[in-house]
Amino acid sequence: MQKEDIDQISQIDTREEETCCSRNEDVLDDATLVQSNHHELHYCDFHIVYSSTFRVPVLYFRAYCSDGRPLPLDEIEKELPACASKELSKKKWTFITQEEHPYLKRPWYKLHPCGTAEWMKLLFLSDTANPKFEVVLELYLLSWFSVVGQVFGLRFYFKISN
Amino acid sequence: MAKEGSGSILQFAPLQSSVDEGFWHRLSSLKLNKFGIDDSPIPISGFYAPCSHPQVSNHLTLLAESLLSDSNDESTMPSVIRGNRNRCSVPGILYNTNTMEGFHALDKQGLLKAEAMKIWEDIHSGKAVEDCAVLSRVLLISFADLKKWNFHYWFAFPALALDPPATLVDLRPASQWFTLEEAESVSTACNEWRNSSVTADVPFFLVSIGSDSHAAVRHLKDLEACQRDGQKLLFAFYDPCHLPNNPGWPLRNFLALISARWNLKTVRFLCYRENRGFADLNLSLVGEALITVQQGWREQQSVPNAVGWELNKGRKVPRCINLAKSMDPTRLAISAADLNLKLMRWRALPSLNLEILFSLKCLLLGAGTLGCQVARMLMAWGVRRITLLDNGRVAMSNPLRQSLYTLDDCHNGGDFKATAAVRSLQRIFPAVEAEGIVMAIPMPGHPVSSQEEKSVLEDCKRLNDLIDSHDVIFLLTDTRESRWLPTLLCANRNKITITAALGFDSFLVMRHGPGPFNSIPNLKAETEDSLAAGMDNLVLTNTDGQHRLGCYFCNDVVAPTDSTSNRMLDQQCTVTRPGLAPIASALAVELLVGILHHPNGIFAEAEIANSSSGGNFELPLGILPHQIRGSLPHFQQMTLLGHSSNSCTACCSTVVSEYRKRGMQFILQAINHPTYLEDVTGLTELMRSANSFQLDWDDDIEVADDECVEL
């Protein structure tokens, strides 16, 4: 394995260039696995945050590459499953805005909550049985998520514990 | 897959770094607000967790919380960074340099050795057994270019290199090594360890299994006790790596600890990995390593070699990330504004043509009450290219009514309005392309002396060039006569022209019709370029007075003259009700957007608002009127239509052809001789014949424009 001196680095710009050799220094050793495939991964974080203005939960999200570079909205939308992007375009209550995350203070995207209270009411009104308050409370987030999750093709796996 | 055989070197999968953009944001903020040029090393905390996905390794992550909190922050972040089941803390250090050269000049091997030394010392002092989190460390060197938002960085995960390296005797999925009962017990014990807030972030531990297949998870410091029990013992660690044939990087220093402190030569290890939050013994690996006695390892003085600089796509070079888009405030403002307009399009107006608005070049003649408001409204619609022309200075009374100015612009006699307005627009939205022109508009009825002639002609030419190079012209000046020359020039060039004029309690907003010389009126005016192209292949079909909508002067029977001299002082600076300017300016911009979305553009026919149209419009933005006249006392507004006049002093074919024939000489004549325009258009003749009938014209004239002046 070629040993190169990492102290000597020629011109660096956003495109990386090779180092030039000078002294022999151990940078890698034989016990280090060298991987040849470098997959580009995209990560998407989802946060559920309560909005005191609208008094409903709000889905915040952001996406980024493995090096941390944020992905813009149009790139995120390209990667949504096909059924999900249809949801996004046709439903009037699923539009996306960019806002400062209330705790992380960084720009995130969110599904705007202005319609949430209304369609949540519809969901619960359609239930003819009169559930107990505790059940409603538990079901609220699940029901809410079953709707907004569709926008991203997310499904919720949960274990019902006693 | 079982991997057996003796003598193959145990190869560890290197840790991979991942830096959340919030980390760079906080570092930038600290650098700007706290550290300044101080480049002393900064303590940081990295975070990692056991692998949670069979195809993706977990990274060692730096977040905003990895740095000590900004003292200016209002956040209540604790200064001690506590871990949780998703975040095992890794102590570390950051060397952030002030220059690129400084970045290159860092003694990387030296820094790596220093961090390795800390691990070595912790191993020998016993601290690594008490608080095993110190077995892993992270070293980061960086250079933050805060002008371009480029972050150059390089990670090292110091690992003490065994010499000779450890060999792998066996490596297989844990489910294949444990019996079924053992596996179940190990899973349960590990899940308990992971669920307890006390141990969830302890990444190195012991798993001891009794002859009854019962497994227990113990702290490292209980090793001697476990060994005495004579049970099966595994050295376990949270493994971020997902690979089936390689353990992750944290095992390196773990083996170093085991060898140096406990002098064990055979080590059975468990690479603990999870799936969906629970122990996954198919993904987890159990292996056996052989460690040769290391020369002098029992003595603290001889520090082993260290490795661990992260490769960048297989190359020994630093990484660089550009975060201008998410950190540069201007870029953030731009993307927020764009998103806002796009929302309008998605939610309410799918046919909204944002591209035409973004590319439009608007010229605003006048930067007073009307000019300031029109500029703001244009920006709200996404127009970015705005030129303001005004020769005045900001006076002390201006900031109250002229919404781009503040008191700061009034000092020392006042800045030029055009300049102050541009500055203000840039403060509101840095990406605006605004230009200010300080210039007076030559006016008929204000004769010029022969010395001034040359500069007046230059101003005319300059105005002509400005009109040529813009797509839309707004006439927002405070006199009638100052609107004459721009109207003529716009009619000549067939430019979209919008006039706003104020009375004391009434206003007029109108769009001028096309000029007298134009191509077939049913052009589809997609862009202003096609209109201009239309101008080039002129057909001299004179469509005067037939279907062409009129301009501001078409209803006049007197030529514009000097309306400002010989007036009482209180009439010269005429006051209008403050609400008028914002209303008129807003309507002027909405009218423009309507024109831009009409398939015929400047040639669009005029529509009148009437109650029977209800909510159904042919075009999504509604009707496109010619003139809007509003009256505040009545809180009423009317839409009117006026066709062009054959005798219009500004836009009739006679006048425009005279201008085309004689250019600036014609202009000069009109400026210097008050009756010239009336003669040319035949208005003089018209009035002579009218006077002979002694009709009272005043009632029929719609325009009270000679009272329309603005403050």
Side-chain angles (χ1 to χ4, degrees):
Chain A
M1 186 185 300
Q2 195 177 27
K3 294 187 163 114
E4 292 172 332
D5 180 11
I6 56 172
D7 282 345
Q8 299 270 1
I9 297 173
S10 51
Q11 175 209 345
I12 297 289
D13 52 23
T14 49
R15 293 166 293 117
E16 304 82 39
E17 295 190 11
E18 286 290 353
T19 65
C20 43
C21 303
S22 175
R23 295 172 291 150
N24 283 341
E25 285 281 357
D26 279 331
V27 177
L28 299 177
D29 62 354
D30 297 333
T32 306
L33 175 71
V34 179
Q35 289 175 278
S36 49
N37 50 348
H38 304 281
H39 295 301
E40 177 53 50
L41 291 170
H42 289 174
Y43 296 82
C44 194
D45 292 341
F46 293 93
H47 284 191
I48 302 175
V49 183
Y50 179 73
S51 159
S52 43
T53 319
F54 291 94
R55 301 204 278 170
V56 289
V58 185
L59 188 68
Y60 280 79
F61 65 97
R62 61 148 186 194
Y64 48 96
C65 304
S66 49
D67 65 355
R69 179 176 65 87
L71 286 172
L73 187 59
D74 48 5
E75 279 191 55
I76 300 175
E77 285 177 348
K78 268 188 243 163
E79 293 177 2
L80 292 178
C83 54
S85 51
K86 246 195 319 139
E87 290 291 317
L88 199 56
S89 52
K90 80 176 177 205
K91 295 255 165 63
K92 285 201 137 192
W93 35 261
T94 52
F95 65 93
I96 295 172
T97 62
Q98 184 178 48
E99 266 184 45
E100 191 176 84
H101 190 289
Y103 301 103
L104 301 178
K105 308 288 186 204
R106 300 298 306 136
W108 281 54
Y109 295 106
K110 75 177 196 193
L111 284 188
H112 203 278
C114 57
T116 303
E118 280 188 42
W119 51 257
M120 281 305 292
K121 243 189 282 182
L122 286 176
L123 268 181
F124 279 95
L125 281 178
S126 62
D127 191 358
T128 48
N130 228 334
K132 285 199 288 218
F133 178 69
E134 295 79 18
V135 179
V136 170
L137 211 57
E138 246 181 64
L139 288 178
Y140 185 96
L141 259 182
L142 289 178
S143 316
W144 172 84
F145 190 81
S146 68
V147 175
V148 299
Q150 284 176 57
V151 176
F152 297 94
L154 292 174
R155 269 168 293 166
F156 191 43
Y157 296 94
F158 61 95
K159 278 186 183 176
I160 304 170
S161 50
N162 296 333
Chain B
M1 268 297 162
K3 188 169 171 177
E4 296 221 21
S6 56
S8 61
I9 294 177
L10 173 54
Q11 288 204 316
F12 306 88
L15 266 172
Q16 293 163 61
S17 68
S18 166
V19 187
D20 183 73
E21 165 270 351
F23 174 83
W24 297 123
H25 186 255
R26 182 167 281 182
L27 176 64
S28 309
S29 172
L30 283 169
K31 194 86 183 122
L32 289 170
N33 300 330
K34 199 165 162 180
F35 299 145
I37 55 166
D38 178 12
D39 57 0
S40 346
I42 305 163
I44 55 174
S45 271
F47 302 109
Y48 77 107
C51 171
S52 52
H53 195 288
Q55 285 157 327
V56 180
S57 289
N58 259 344
H59 291 55
L60 189 135
T61 309
L62 291 190
L63 310 166
E65 301 93 286
S66 297
L67 284 165
L68 46 108
S69 61
D70 198 337
S71 53
N72 296 329
D73 248 346
E74 284 165 33
S75 72
T76 50
M77 263 333 140
S79 49
V80 176
I81 296 160
R82 295 226 171 74
N84 56 46
R85 60 170 296 136
N86 294 322
R87 287 188 191 175
C88 298
S89 255
V90 174
I93 198 142
L94 161 63
Y95 290 87
N96 184 59
T97 60
N98 289 326
T99 60
M100 200 64 200
E101 296 75 43
F103 181 69
H104 293 327
L106 287 171
D107 173 16
K108 291 168 196 66
Q109 279 307 96
L111 292 178
L112 182 67
K113 272 204 162 83
E115 294 311 297
M117 183 66 151
K118 293 179 189 170
I119 303 174
W120 187 241
E121 279 167 4
D122 287 341
I123 287 178
H124 278 276
S125 67
K127 182 161 180 228
V129 175
E130 282 301 318
D131 176 18
C132 58
V134 300
L135 274 177
S136 298
R137 279 186 182 264
V138 55
L139 164 64
L140 176 63
I141 62 173
S142 70
F143 164 59
D145 176 352
L146 298 184
K147 291 201 173 63
K148 296 192 210 136
W149 307 101
N150 275 332
F151 298 89
H152 303 265
Y153 64 99
W154 207 338
F155 274 90
F157 306 110
L160 301 165
L162 295 168
D163 184 18
T167 53
L168 187 62
V169 173
D170 181 38
L171 187 70
R172 65 183 72 192
S175 51
Q176 286 178 24
W177 193 83
F178 295 120
T179 67
L180 269 176
E181 296 126 311
E182 284 173 341
E184 209 178 294
S185 184
V186 168
S187 291
T188 310
C190 288
N191 287 334
E192 273 172 28
W193 182 263
R194 291 284 287 154
N195 282 334
S196 156
S197 56
V198 176
T199 52
D201 62 342
V202 175
F204 299 93
F205 51 98
L206 303 169
V207 174
S208 80
I209 307 176
S211 43
D212 60 351
S213 299
H214 175 78
V217 172
R218 313 280 292 270
H219 287 273
L220 292 184
K221 58 184 191 259
D222 299 335
L223 177 66
E224 268 101 56
C226 292
Q227 282 173 323
R228 262 180 275 125
D229 291 342
Q231 300 176 328
K232 265 199 270 193
L233 190 60
L234 294 106
F235 290 88
F237 71 102
Y238 293 168
D239 187 1
C241 174
H242 73 283
L243 296 172
N245 293 323
N246 301 87
W249 201 249
L251 182 57
R252 293 200 74 151
N253 290 337
F254 199 16
L255 288 182
L257 165 71
I258 295 166
S259 167
R261 191 138 182 94
W262 298 308
N263 207 14
L264 295 176
K265 300 195 182 44
T266 308
V267 178
R268 183 147 272 131
F269 57 86
L270 166 65
C271 305
Y272 176 79
R273 300 155 178 192
E274 292 179 334
N275 195 357
R276 295 227 169 95
F278 297 104
D280 183 339
L281 294 185
N282 292 318
L283 194 55
S284 303
L285 304 174
V286 168
E288 190 177 337
L290 280 181
I291 306 174
T292 323
V293 171
Q294 305 291 309
Q295 290 282 25
W297 265 45
R298 298 229 75 167
E299 290 102 58
Q300 188 172 343
Q301 294 88 306
S302 58
V303 184
N305 276 336
V307 293
W309 285 103
E310 187 179 27
L311 292 183
N312 182 2
K313 291 196 178 69
R315 291 151 76 216
K316 298 181 200 79
V317 288
R319 297 174 183 217
C320 181
I321 184 171
N322 176 278
L323 290 174
K325 265 209 182 121
S326 65
M327 289 178 62
D328 180 31
T330 303
R331 302 269 197 116
L332 288 173
I334 293 174
S335 56
D338 282 354
L339 199 63
N340 220 339
L341 288 165
K342 281 178 185 149
L343 273 181
M344 201 162 38
R345 181 160 64 183
W346 294 340
R347 294 272 289 169
L349 211 59
S351 55
L352 183 61
N353 186 343
L354 293 172
E355 286 64 40
I356 207 177
L357 288 164
F358 291 155
S359 62
L360 202 67
K361 269 197 96 173
C362 289
L363 173 64
L364 276 59
L365 302 179
T369 47
L370 291 169
C372 288
Q373 278 303 112
V374 166
R376 278 179 167 273
M377 289 296 113
L378 285 172
M379 288 216 299
W381 268 105
V383 175
R384 305 264 180 265
R385 302 160 81 191
I386 300 172
T387 307
L388 289 125
L389 186 150
D390 197 301
N391 76 325
R393 289 184 183 270
V394 185
M396 286 285 188
S397 59
N398 290 161
L400 287 163
R401 292 171 176 250
Q402 304 182 14
S403 58
L404 290 179
Y405 308 128
T406 63
L407 195 61
D408 287 340
D409 302 314
C410 302
H411 301 315
N412 303 323
D415 293 334
F416 281 118
K417 283 188 177 181
T419 331
V422 163
R423 236 182 5 238
S424 183
L425 290 178
Q426 286 166 342
R427 264 200 302 270
I428 294 168
F429 189 72
V432 71
E433 294 166 42
E435 200 191 337
I437 316 263
V438 181
M439 196 186 97
I441 300 176
M443 303 185 270
H446 295 246
V448 293
S449 64
S450 42
Q451 302 102 298
E452 296 170 310
E453 220 173 82
K454 184 162 174 286
S455 77
V456 164
L457 286 178
E458 268 167 26
D459 286 347
C460 292
K461 173 138 203 332
R462 195 166 176 206
L463 184 62
N464 191 42
D465 292 342
L466 280 170
I467 287 174
D468 265 354
S469 60
H470 285 75
D471 304 311
V472 176
I473 289 86
F474 283 89
L475 306 188
L476 310 169
T477 53
D478 59 0
T479 59
R480 233 174 110 245
E481 56 268 31
S482 60
R483 301 170 191 267
W484 174 77
L485 181 57
T487 302
L488 165 61
L489 296 173
C490 289
N492 181 42
R493 284 296 193 207
N494 231 14
K495 294 281 178 173
I496 294 179
T497 314
I498 304 211
T499 284
L502 306 177
F504 165 65
D505 57 14
S506 63
F507 66 82
L508 161 69
V509 171
M510 65 178 289
R511 57 183 172 102
H512 293 194
F517 304 121
N518 49 64
S519 320
I520 312 156
N522 56 1
L523 264 181
K524 278 223 178 279
E526 294 276 333
T527 65
E528 300 318 302
D529 289 341
S530 72
L531 279 178
M535 279 309 298
D536 291 341
N537 27 310
L538 268 217
V539 177
L540 280 174
T541 42
N542 188 337
T543 56
D544 243 355
Q546 286 170 0
H547 300 291
R548 194 164 69 90
L549 290 173
C551 78
Y552 178 69
F553 293 95
C554 278
N555 296 310
D556 288 355
V557 287
V558 288
T561 56
D562 186 344
S563 64
T564 56
S565 44
N566 298 326
R567 277 175 165 207
M568 305 291 286
L569 194 66
D570 62 336
Q571 278 181 306
Q572 269 181 0
C573 343
T574 312
V575 179
T576 68
R577 286 178 68 164
L580 278 183
I583 297 172
S585 311
L587 287 173
V589 174
E590 295 294 326
L591 190 62
L592 169 66
V593 179
I595 298 171
L596 295 173
H597 284 80
H598 195 285
N600 296 341
I602 196 179
F603 297 98
E605 294 281 316
E607 296 163 277
I608 312 274
N610 55 55
S611 46
S612 61
S613 53
N616 293 329
F617 299 110
E618 261 176 54
L619 293 168
L621 281 167
I623 64 163
L624 191 61
H626 175 227
Q627 297 178 31
I628 307 161
R629 288 177 186 265
S631 154
L632 262 184
H634 303 107
F635 286 96
Q636 236 173 32
Q637 196 169 288
M638 293 186 298
T639 53
L640 299 167
L641 186 153
H643 286 125
S644 58
S645 156
N646 283 351
S647 320
C648 176
T649 50
C651 78
C652 74
S653 51
T654 320
V655 168
V656 178
S657 13
E658 274 305 295
Y659 168 66
R660 285 185 176 186
K661 264 195 310 224
R662 301 195 301 125
M664 293 303 153
Q665 289 311 310
F666 167 72
I667 305 274
L668 209 53
Q669 213 170 347
I671 288 174
N672 286 331
H673 303 284
T675 56
Y676 173 62
L677 281 171
E678 288 168 1
D679 294 340
V680 161
T681 57
L683 271 179
T684 318
E685 188 54 47
L686 197 63
M687 281 174 64
R688 222 181 287 135
S689 52
N691 281 337
S692 67
F693 286 119
Q694 297 196 324
L695 279 172
D696 188 357
W697 285 94
D698 288 1
D699 294 332
D700 287 344
I701 296 172
E702 294 171 83
V703 180
D705 290 308
D706 52 0
E707 283 160 25
C708 286
V709 289
E710 67 174 278
L711 182 65

